[in-house]
Amino acid sequence: MFRLFPETPDDHDEVEYLFDLAFAPGREALSSYRLRDGISPLRALSLVARDPTDGIAGAIRYWPVRIGEAGHRALLLGPVAVHPTHQGEGLGAALILDSLDRARDAGWERVILVGDEPYYRRFGFRRAEGLQFPPPTNPERLLALALQPGAFEGVSGMVRRDG
Amino acid sequence: MTLLRRDRRFSRRAAMLQWAGIVPSLVPTRLTIAGNEVPAPTYPRPLVKTLRFSDTPLALYEGVVDLAAKVPPNDGTERPPMAELTLQACSDRICLDPQKMRFALC
């Protein structure tokens, strides 16, 4: 059993440690981090999972971004990570689905991420047609999910920083 | 049967929890799983005490509380069952705002 709750500033160092553990060194050199530099994650949607001993078991973060010249608002999902000792238990799916519910309830309309389409397809993500991501990014890994019907109609262009 | 075990964060924060809605302005402790009410017998018996801020006796949980519940079978989707605990923590003098705690049962 894992308690899920919005990340607080007190969780920051543990969450960063988890991401360092889960991802290759130099993760912050990825192009997606250029969209996050100097911008805080959205606290209400960025969740931490703790196990019954209070240990950090997983975390997910969301960031605000803009799409195209029109500046359509969107969420950038990621990183999401589960501690190696808790992988295969369904915690990643719980974090993704619960946070997407919260995003939908908060009125967000669209989510994008850079990731493996075969994994994220189960959550409804599909190749993001008409969107570009700052290079170097494999366009086949840019995925999108509409939280509201038609949320990506007329939305195209480069994904850019919000602010 | 899967048990909802006690949680350290939960027990630290919850000095006293109202068990039932005796006083309308206070929120009773309530556990739902996958959006469904858990049958009442899974709640342990409360203490009945009178706190300093009210003359009305209140049914309370104090200290560490164990709540047990049957977890529904997986619905065939990726989503593990989720539990939500609604509680209102009080001291002898004040009650905090009600809060909801969410748990992934995986």
Side-chain angles (χ1 to χ4, degrees):
Chain A
M1 183 178 74
F2 302 96
R3 182 182 170 213
L4 307 187
F5 58 93
E7 181 184 339
T8 70
D10 287 345
D11 300 310
H12 178 270
D13 288 353
E14 281 183 282
V15 172
E16 286 295 316
Y17 166 77
L18 176 66
F19 290 149
D20 286 344
L21 191 66
F23 297 102
R27 62 182 170 90
E28 295 189 358
L30 296 172
S31 57
S32 57
Y33 276 84
R34 302 292 76 75
L35 300 173
R36 300 169 175 137
D37 282 343
I39 299 176
S40 297
L42 293 162
R43 297 289 182 195
L45 304 179
S46 299
L47 304 181
V48 174
R50 290 193 181 274
D51 65 21
T53 69
D54 237 9
I56 190 162
I60 188 169
R61 280 180 175 163
Y62 285 85
W63 312 77
V65 292
R66 299 275 179 172
I67 300 175
E69 291 299 316
H72 294 285
R73 299 182 74 213
L75 291 169
L76 175 62
L77 188 163
V80 55
V82 173
H83 194 281
T85 57
H86 291 299
Q87 289 181 2
E89 299 177 13
L91 181 56
L95 284 165
I96 292 168
L97 290 167
D98 197 64
S99 58
L100 289 175
D101 283 347
R102 293 174 193 239
R104 195 177 287 108
D105 291 345
W108 288 89
E109 296 181 34
R110 52 190 81 84
V111 186
I112 61 169
L113 62 83
V114 178
D116 296 328
E117 201 265 353
Y119 176 77
Y120 285 102
R121 172 175 282 273
R122 72 196 69 181
F123 307 115
F125 284 89
R126 299 290 185 272
R127 284 272 308 278
E129 305 293 342
L131 271 55
Q132 294 94 45
F133 206 76
T137 300
N138 180 347
E140 294 188 357
R141 290 173 55 79
L142 181 58
L143 311 178
L145 171 68
L147 296 177
Q148 311 291 342
F152 279 96
E153 289 177 10
V155 177
S156 63
M158 180 65 78
V159 177
R160 54 190 175 82
R161 289 166 53 90
D162 185 6
Chain B
M1 186 167 74
T2 302
L3 297 181
L4 286 175
R5 292 168 297 182
R6 68 190 181 199
D7 177 89
R8 270 175 39 190
R9 275 177 174 257
F10 173 81
S11 59
R12 267 208 311 268
R13 284 185 174 179
M16 295 178 184
L17 308 173
Q18 189 193 12
W19 172 70
I22 296 174
V23 177
S25 60
L26 299 179
V27 174
T29 301
R30 180 167 173 264
L31 178 67
T32 60
I33 295 183
N36 298 314
E37 193 82 34
V38 176
T42 60
Y43 293 93
R45 292 190 64 80
L47 298 170
V48 178
K49 296 179 70 169
T50 301
L51 302 181
R52 200 176 299 182
F53 61 78
S54 170
D55 293 333
T56 305
L58 297 172
L60 304 165
Y61 293 136
E62 199 168 29
V64 175
V65 178
D66 286 311
L67 303 179
K70 281 188 177 178
V71 177
N74 190 292
D75 59 6
T77 67
E78 294 282 335
R79 182 189 292 266
M82 298 291 296
E84 187 170 84
L85 181 67
T86 303
L87 60 89
Q88 186 168 22
C90 301
S91 71
D92 196 36
R93 293 176 179 273
I94 61 166
C95 288
L96 302 178
D97 287 339
Q99 62 173 307
K100 292 181 185 292
M101 302 171 73
R102 288 176 65 80
F103 300 87
L105 304 179
C106 54

